[in-house]
Amino acid sequence: MPAVRLALLLAAAAPLVQAAPLSVTVTDAAGKPLADAVVMLEPATGKAPVKPLPDVEISQAKRQFNPRVTLITVGTRVAFPNFDTVRHHVYSFSQAKTFELKLYAGVPAAPIVFDKPGLAVLGCNIHDRMAAWVVVADTPWFARTAADGTARIDGAPAGAYRLAAWHPGLPANSAPVVQNLLIGSSEQRETVQLAVDAAP
């Protein structure tokens, strides 16, 4: 095969230009970094294919959920093992997922499938102070912020997106804060400020 023809075939088969990593810093109303914030990149038009993650666990120990914020994709199964010596009654009445695991110890027989995008707020019917949040993403590009308030998203092709950010310290039933964003081929850093006075 002539070298020129081979080069043309390779060029035609080359993947779309991949963007460099996107770093997003999420801060509170005072400009301090927020840990456990969720950031998601959603294409401005169309929808990217999304696959369920491998099974995830949200455990209960010392009468607390761990982790308190869980970020998954649509279709992911979540198990709720109870490591306490007392029984728990885990529930969510959220639109994204409604379920109840009535008083139990150990590990429930089957995981819960989170089959709709959105936010599910978890509680325990026995221990009112127990709370956790499950964010169900409908995009393959997402991350949760670390202690320094920064999250990194890799692999999104160059193009137009909506950058959505959310934190459990936002007022109840708050939708994610969304801003438009163009992803290019060089490294990008963005900052999102949320109306959070203090982490819950």
Side-chain angles (χ1 to χ4, degrees), residues 2-183:
V4 173
R5 186 178 172 194
L6 177 61
L8 289 173
L9 285 172
L10 290 174
L16 293 173
V17 175
Q18 294 290 311
L22 170 67
S23 293
V24 182
T25 300
V26 182
T27 68
D28 64 13
K32 294 180 180 178
L34 283 172
D36 286 334
V38 167
V39 291
M40 297 173 284
L41 269 182
E42 303 165 344
T45 58
K47 182 174 176 276
V50 179
K51 294 181 180 179
L53 298 178
D55 288 3
V56 170
E57 279 192 0
I58 300 175
S59 64
Q60 299 122 64
K62 298 180 180 177
R63 300 185 185 186
Q64 293 182 343
F65 288 108
N66 183 40
R68 70 174 194 149
V69 176
T70 299
L71 177 56
I72 59 176
T73 51
V74 173
T76 300
R77 306 191 322 162
V78 180
F80 292 89
N82 177 6
F83 298 118
D84 278 330
T85 56
V86 296
R87 293 191 297 170
H88 292 298
H89 181 145
V90 177
Y91 69 88
S92 168
F93 298 136
S94 304
Q95 186 174 356
K97 188 64 181 181
T98 299
F99 71 93
E100 278 190 89
L101 296 172
K102 296 186 177 179
L103 280 172
Y104 73 96
V107 182
I112 302 297
V113 179
F114 286 76
D115 50 4
K116 294 179 186 175
L119 172 67
V121 182
L122 307 180
C124 174
N125 211 24
I126 306 302
H127 307 101
D128 291 341
R129 292 187 179 181
M130 289 178 62
W133 297 265
V134 180
V135 180
V136 188
D138 201 17
T139 172
W141 305 298
F142 55 85
R144 188 177 71 177
T145 59
D148 65 355
T150 300
R152 173 179 162 138
I153 297 176
D154 293 315
Y161 291 86
R162 292 181 296 270
L163 175 63
W166 176 88
H167 186 269
L170 287 168
N173 302 315
S174 292
V177 173
V178 178
Q179 61 188 47
N180 294 326
L181 182 66
L182 280 175
I183 298 291

